[in-house]
Amino acid sequence: MRVLAVDVGGTHVKILATGETEKREFDSGPKLTARQMVAGVKRLARGWRYDVVAIGYPGPVVHDRPVAEPHNLGAGWVGFDYAAAFGCPVRIVNDAAMQALGSYRGGRMLFLGLGTGLGTALIVDGRIEPMEIGHLPYLKHTYEDYVSDRALERHGKKKWRKHVLDVIKRLGAALEPDEIVIGGGNVRHLKRLPAHCRAGDNANAFKGGFALWEKDAGPRRKRSVRATPRKHRTPA
């Protein structure tokens, strides 16, 4: 089965198909609608062969359907018929969950995606649960207000790093993971990572998208998705 993995972000939509080695991307932004995303992906994927599509969506997803409009994109995502638009079967998960799935090595793993917003997901013994922690109260606003792209631009790297490390510490203490994976494009701005943390890679979103269509890795009737764990590494 050939899979087209689509990673929908607040600044870019990135795609990769089974058997291809170079990703393709186009700009997204606050006016991008679901219909425009599909049109852009189909145009960008010309020449690639695929049977199914996996989409990482920047918002809550239940049973392969977005249940809230994204904070950093346009409207029209909830209720849109993605399978009809692509002309093939489609599976959709939260974008942080898709990258977490591709980053998983085993045990209890917390994923934090530092990008346009804050993506969060938790995997426990192969069972993945997307979360929306970024919009919960933190200090005077929300977590996302202190560790997002906008926060980095507003506060500068020094203060942004301080907030990121504090968020990692708080969430690590609350959820007690074996390890924390810090992904997203802004992980490169961190000078160091705390103990039991490792840097992720945006390319893992594609691995997660492919895994959604692997045997026993697709979405269940429940909200969570079964991941296929790799060999577990005990944090140093």
Side-chain angles (χ1 to χ4, degrees), residues 59-176:
V61 176
V62 177
H63 304 317
D64 290 307
R65 293 180 178 274
V67 295
E69 297 292 340
H71 287 269
N72 301 304
L73 300 174
W77 297 79
V78 175
F80 185 80
D81 193 335
Y82 295 88
F86 275 107
C88 65
V90 175
R91 284 179 174 167
I92 306 175
V93 294
N94 172 265
D95 59 342
M98 195 163 84
Q99 188 171 156
L101 184 61
S103 305
Y104 185 60
R105 292 178 177 171
R108 185 181 182 93
M109 185 197 84
L110 173 64
F111 176 83
L112 301 176
L114 303 175
T116 305
L118 173 65
T120 54
L122 182 69
I123 302 182
V124 181
D125 296 331
R127 182 66 64 177
I128 184 167
E129 183 64 28
M131 300 183 291
E132 290 295 320
I133 290 177
H135 304 296
L136 294 181
Y138 172 69
L139 301 181
K140 296 182 179 180
H141 300 286
T142 68
Y143 284 99
E144 195 163 278
D145 287 317
Y146 290 90
V147 299
S148 64
D149 270 344
R150 291 188 299 275
L152 179 58
E153 294 174 2
R154 183 170 62 248
H155 299 302
K157 288 184 180 180
K158 184 176 180 179
K159 186 172 290 187
W160 176 84
R161 290 186 187 117
K162 180 180 178 181
H163 288 310
V164 168
L165 293 176
D166 182 56
V167 168
I168 292 172
K169 181 179 179 180
R170 288 171 184 247
L171 296 182
L175 298 170
E176 298 184 330

Side-chain angles (χ1 to χ4, degrees), residues 1-7 14-18 20 38 41-42 44-46 48-56 86 88-91 98 206 209-210 213:
M1 180 185 296
R2 293 163 299 197
V3 181
L4 176 63
V6 181
D7 183 15
K14 300 175 283 292
I15 67 172
L16 186 69
T18 301
E20 301 296 331
V38 173
V41 168
K42 291 171 73 173
L44 201 62
R46 285 175 184 165
W48 286 358
R49 299 177 64 190
Y50 56 92
D51 307 299
V52 296
V53 175
I55 299 176
F86 275 107
C88 65
V90 175
R91 284 179 174 167
M98 195 163 84
F206 299 127
F210 298 150
W213 285 98

Side-chain angles (χ1 to χ4, degrees), residues 164-165 168 180 182 187 190-200:
V164 168
L165 293 176
I168 292 172
I180 301 175
I182 313 298
V187 67
L190 294 176
K191 289 184 175 180
R192 62 181 178 86
L193 293 178
H196 308 316
C197 292
R198 63 180 166 91

